[in-house]
Amino acid sequence: MMHAILEQDTVAHRLIGCHLVRQTPHGTIRVEITETEAYKGRDDPASHAYRAVTPRNRLMFGEVGRLYVYLIYGLHYCMNVVAHEPGNAGAVLLRAAEPVEGLELIRANRPGVADRNLLNGPGKLAQGLGVDIGFNGYDLMRSPDRQLALHISSKALPVAASPRIGISQAKELLWRFTPSD
């Protein structure tokens, strides 16, 4: 899926219902992705890749299926799946997920947090999975160590599109995706 469908909003839509599986020394964490946002590179003023290649955003111009991890506000890591058409740049921000397996491991990564708030934001999701800047560039589709893997859902779920949040430009674009009721 990641190599055949490269348009960011399509990938963001298709990632809803997919699983991220994290192998840790203490066991397996599996989560189902429930919220994503598309960032379309040079065509999107809210994208890190809008102006030019920088040391921070260079992965957004690179190989599809890699993880683009960055620190926001100097506090929280955010995870993006690189997705773009050939010759372009872009990524899909993983905003939220629901635990499927390894709830105790997620709780240990986010001590003192109510279960309903464990993975309901991009920084919370990265922390719950134990993902930090060391995963920047990680190949979600082909990494031999399989510390973190993306398992594509075999069926497309119905999703709702809405404006992206937490940005100051291009807020009106309906590139945020969640499961529809």
Side-chain angles (χ1 to χ4, degrees):
M1 189 270 310
M2 290 297 300
H3 299 283
I5 302 171
L6 302 177
E7 190 66 29
Q8 293 85 358
D9 55 336
T10 302
V11 173
H13 176 271
R14 284 286 290 133
L15 284 172
I16 300 298
C18 294
H19 288 192
L20 276 175
V21 181
R22 171 83 164 92
Q23 299 298 333
T24 77
H26 306 289
T28 300
I29 298 172
R30 177 184 291 268
V31 300
E32 183 173 309
I33 299 169
T34 59
E35 185 178 352
T36 61
E37 285 181 350
Y39 288 89
K40 292 194 174 195
R42 296 180 182 121
D43 299 328
D44 180 0
S47 173
H48 289 181
Y50 180 63
R51 296 198 194 287
V53 178
T54 67
R56 179 187 189 197
N57 74 10
R58 68 177 170 70
L59 285 167
M60 290 182 75
F61 294 82
E63 189 177 344
V64 169
R66 298 243 175 212
L67 205 59
Y68 166 48
V69 179
Y70 61 89
L71 190 63
I72 187 167
Y73 308 125
L75 298 171
H76 308 287
Y77 292 103
C78 292
M79 298 183 297
N80 297 259
V81 178
V82 174
H84 57 78
E85 295 176 341
N88 205 343
V92 174
L93 175 64
L94 303 178
R95 288 198 55 84
E98 291 291 328
V100 174
E101 180 181 352
L103 181 58
E104 291 305 319
L105 297 170
I106 297 168
R107 287 177 179 150
N109 289 339
R110 304 227 343 105
V113 175
D115 284 359
R116 71 181 177 282
N117 295 324
L118 284 173
L119 305 172
N120 65 343
K124 296 174 184 182
L125 176 57
Q127 184 181 20
L129 289 170
V131 170
D132 59 19
I133 200 70
F135 280 90
N136 194 36
Y138 193 87
D139 189 336
L140 289 172
M141 308 304 287
R142 296 173 301 276
S143 182
D145 69 10
R146 307 304 285 167
Q147 287 184 58
L148 186 63
L150 179 63
H151 292 212
I152 305 300
S153 176
S154 61
K155 60 180 180 172
L157 298 178
V159 300
S162 60
R164 298 176 296 183
I165 57 177
I167 57 174
S168 60
Q169 297 181 353
K171 295 186 289 191
E172 72 285 355
L173 299 172
L174 302 179
W175 291 344
R176 178 174 168 241
F177 300 93
T178 55
S180 63
D181 296 330

PDB file of all heavy atoms in Angstrom, residues 6 33 91 162:
ATOM      1  N   LEU A   6       0.729   6.928  -3.078  1.00  0.00           N
ATOM      2  CA  LEU A   6       1.684   7.840  -2.474  1.00  0.00           C
ATOM      3  C   LEU A   6       1.110   9.208  -2.149  1.00  0.00           C
ATOM      4  O   LEU A   6       1.747   9.979  -1.460  1.00  0.00           O
ATOM      5  CB  LEU A   6       2.909   7.990  -3.382  1.00  0.00           C
ATOM      6  CG  LEU A   6       3.621   6.678  -3.693  1.00  0.00           C
ATOM      7  CD1 LEU A   6       4.762   6.917  -4.659  1.00  0.00           C
ATOM      8  CD2 LEU A   6       4.126   6.027  -2.435  1.00  0.00           C
ATOM      9  N   ILE A  33      -4.264   2.664  14.612  1.00  0.00           N
ATOM     10  CA  ILE A  33      -4.232   4.090  14.297  1.00  0.00           C
ATOM     11  C   ILE A  33      -5.652   4.613  14.141  1.00  0.00           C
ATOM     12  O   ILE A  33      -6.454   4.047  13.384  1.00  0.00           O
ATOM     13  CB  ILE A  33      -3.411   4.336  13.019  1.00  0.00           C
ATOM     14  CG1 ILE A  33      -1.968   3.856  13.229  1.00  0.00           C
ATOM     15  CG2 ILE A  33      -3.450   5.812  12.617  1.00  0.00           C
ATOM     16  CD1 ILE A  33      -1.143   3.798  11.961  1.00  0.00           C
ATOM     17  N   ALA A  91       4.486  13.827   4.147  1.00  0.00           N
ATOM     18  CA  ALA A  91       4.388  12.817   5.193  1.00  0.00           C
ATOM     19  C   ALA A  91       2.993  12.853   5.801  1.00  0.00           C
ATOM     20  O   ALA A  91       2.239  13.803   5.604  1.00  0.00           O
ATOM     21  CB  ALA A  91       5.446  13.055   6.260  1.00  0.00           C
ATOM     22  N   SER A 162     -11.644  16.195   8.284  1.00  0.00           N
ATOM     23  CA  SER A 162     -11.890  17.470   8.947  1.00  0.00           C
ATOM     24  C   SER A 162     -10.635  18.325   8.832  1.00  0.00           C
ATOM     25  O   SER A 162      -9.585  17.840   8.403  1.00  0.00           O
ATOM     26  CB  SER A 162     -12.271  17.237  10.415  1.00  0.00           C
ATOM     27  OG  SER A 162     -11.230  16.568  11.099  1.00  0.00           O
TER      28      SER A 162
END
